[in-house]
Amino acid sequence: EAGVAQSPRYKIIEKRQSVAFWCNPISGHATLYWYQQILGQGPKLLIQFQNNGVVDDSQLPKDRFSAERLKGVDSTLKIQPAKLEDSAVYLCASSLSAGALGTQYFGPGTRLLVL
Amino acid sequence: AQTVTQSQPEMSVQEAETVTLSCTYDTSENNYYLFWYKQPPSRQMILVIRQEAYKQQNATENRFSVNFQKAAKSFSLKISDSQLGDTAMYFCAFMKHVEYGNKLVFGAGTILRVKS
């Protein structure tokens, strides 16, 4: 079974530029999550999708971050414009269901460095 | 809001020995789930073990076991017979029991180094 795929693996941009990350969840997984992991901290949920609908985006900085999951499969996370503090690893995860027992499977992450 | 605290930034253990990683959490919820995740240097996060708060029995998965103390809001992970492949960052995480919106709240992590 293929795992969660993410691209690119690494990205370096200058502040005020735009960047987009892509995630393809495990086949059949209805729930998709984007987490931000700043160096030295645990991951923090940015947004959760159930199929193509948003379940929780309470911690997404909506003035600069946006995410979509068209067709309820793969997803893109965009930052526009990027700030220095956005330097982090962006993790995508998916689960079969949105219930509490839906084990979340994580992708390898995209490491973003904003200069 | 829930918070998760891991007070040990780094730990090391000799191969084949036992090590315990600590985790405490703060919540007013009665129904919830606790997890330990492992993140090796390759950065792919993997679920190690899960505990349902309504279960009194401590969860066990092969060499991994937990000591869940609900009243003390403590959830430690014991790794027996440590192996070199156990070297990783370990995160303790909390999840409320809800039908939708199963957000994981993570601690800051503990780096575990297994030495040969």
Side-chain angles (χ1 to χ4, degrees), chain B residues 10-41:
Chain B
E10 295 187 32
M11 293 194 71
S12 62
V13 64
Q14 287 295 128
E15 199 174 6
E17 293 187 347
T18 295
V19 64
T20 299
L21 308 183
S22 302
C23 173
T24 58
Y25 58 94
D26 186 26
T27 184
S28 58
E29 303 287 333
N30 192 46
N31 293 326
Y32 52 87
Y33 301 82
L34 295 163
F35 305 80
W36 278 99
Y37 276 86
K38 170 185 177 181
Q39 190 176 41

Side-chain angles (χ1 to χ4, degrees), chain B residues 28-67:
Chain B
S28 58
E29 303 287 333
N30 192 46
N31 293 326
Y32 52 87
Y33 301 82
L34 295 163
F35 305 80
W36 278 99
Y37 276 86
K38 170 185 177 181
Q39 190 176 41
S42 67
R43 304 206 74 89
Q44 196 116 15
M45 193 94 71
I46 304 166
L47 176 64
V48 175
I49 199 165
R50 174 212 317 267
Q51 175 79 42
E52 290 85 354
Y54 63 85
K55 290 187 178 178
Q56 293 185 335
Q57 186 172 7
N58 289 322
T60 300
E61 288 287 342
N62 300 315
R63 298 183 294 107
F64 299 88
S65 62
V66 298
N67 183 4

